[in-house]
């Protein structure tokens, strides 16, 4: 498979998102820095109600979705599919 894919991991808090992002290169051989984004729930300004997103660039489309699902689950997260 040779297509530019961006995976979206949804994690429960910033610490989990940072830990997951930090381990991506070792686990999946990613070379691009993942982006961390705070995703506040609709109408909420309180950081306690925010999930964190990790955007993972996969330019060659090499990361198997099932492997990424299992990885995100290690932090009580999941992968959003378009």
């Amino acid at each position: 498979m040779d297509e530019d894919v961006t995976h979206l991991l949804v994690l429960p808090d910033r610490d989990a998102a940072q830990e997951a992002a930090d381990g991506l290169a070792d686990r999946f051989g990613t070379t691009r820095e993942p982006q961390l984004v705070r995703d506040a729930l609709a109408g909420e300004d309180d950081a306690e109600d925010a999930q964190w997103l990790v955007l993972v660039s996969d330019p060659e489309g090499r990361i198997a979705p099932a492997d990424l699902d299992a990885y995100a689950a290690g932090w009580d997260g999941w992968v959003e599919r378009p």
Side-chain angles (χ1 to χ4, degrees):
M1 180 182 278
D2 190 14
E3 68 182 71
D4 193 0
V5 175
T6 299
H7 303 283
L8 179 65
L9 281 66
V10 181
L11 297 155
D13 58 48
R14 188 179 198 321
D15 290 340
Q18 187 64 59
E19 287 179 30
D22 290 346
L24 284 165
D26 289 339
R27 175 67 176 84
F28 296 103
T30 57
T31 57
R32 295 186 183 169
E33 187 74 23
Q35 286 185 285
L36 272 65
V37 179
R38 181 179 176 267
D39 182 37
L41 299 176
E44 297 293 331
D45 292 328
D46 188 353
E48 295 299 317
D49 293 326
Q51 295 173 326
W52 282 79
L53 310 177
V54 179
L55 284 68
V56 182
S57 179
D58 182 15
E60 289 94 34
R62 295 181 307 151
I63 300 174
D67 292 342
L68 201 55
D69 281 334
Y71 184 76
W75 287 276
D76 296 324
W78 65 91
V79 178
E80 280 291 315
R81 304 275 187 260

